[in-house]
Amino acid sequence: MTGDSTPNNVPRWEDIDLDAIDYEARDGLSSGHERTLRALRSKIGSTEALLRRYLRELGVSSGGDLAKVSIPTHLQYRDPFAFDRVRRARSSQMTLESQRNRFSRVYADHCAEKARLREKAEAKGDGGINDGEAVSG
């Protein structure tokens, strides 16, 4: 059940510990989302680096959450190329927010699948009960 996450069970980006995620399925329980999570984390890292560069070019402090950094309107009128720089920075912020939301949704599905797999593994360990599944021979 990977496509049924609702806004209520999707964790906020700030609440996810990126270093605690088992991207390699070392526990032997692969949810099927590990590769997607790794790819999304890489994309997010690239977008953050690009956004930091854009903000630095604009002279805007990049402290705090990059997706929420305020870019003053007057900066776009500073020189002929500033408007394009501001547009790229704002576009990168929207992209970053979108990538983070996608990561959060996939992470929620990943956690739900891991929980299901753990329950199944525990049930099989309890006297060989196989949750009513047909045993193929």
Side-chain angles (χ1 to χ4, degrees):
M1 296 197 181
T2 58
D4 62 352
S5 63
T6 63
N8 294 335
N9 68 0
V10 175
R12 293 178 348 174
W13 172 255
E14 300 81 20
D15 297 336
I16 299 173
D17 182 2
L18 298 175
D19 297 324
I21 298 172
D22 182 12
Y23 295 99
E24 306 299 325
R26 288 185 201 93
D27 60 1
L29 301 172
S30 174
S31 71
H33 296 288
E34 291 82 7
R35 178 185 240 171
T36 304
L37 289 170
R38 275 194 312 268
L40 285 169
R41 184 171 179 186
S42 176
K43 280 184 179 182
I44 289 168
S46 297
T47 302
E48 286 176 344
L50 191 61
L51 182 53
R52 272 192 202 91
R53 189 183 103 205
Y54 291 155
L55 293 173
R56 190 173 49 249
E57 288 174 357
L58 290 168
V60 174
S61 171
S62 60
D65 186 0
L66 290 174
K68 305 215 183 325
V69 169
S70 177
I71 302 170
T73 307
H74 74 275
L75 289 179
Q76 65 193 26
Y77 303 112
R78 197 169 51 192
D79 63 60
F81 302 104
F83 184 82
D84 190 47
R85 283 191 214 112
V86 169
R87 185 186 54 77
R88 283 185 298 178
R90 287 188 178 136
S91 175
S92 291
Q93 282 182 312
M94 288 188 292
T95 299
L96 180 60
E97 193 66 33
S98 173
Q99 289 170 340
R100 287 177 173 180
N101 289 337
R102 171 93 170 107
F103 187 97
S104 295
R105 288 191 307 274
V106 172
Y107 179 69
D109 291 343
H110 168 76
C111 290
E113 182 65 12
K114 288 288 244 190
R116 188 189 70 75
L117 291 170
R118 277 190 202 98
E119 287 175 13
K120 187 175 178 181
E122 289 171 6
K124 287 193 184 237
D126 293 337
I129 300 171
N130 64 6
D131 295 327
E133 296 174 4
V135 177
S136 59

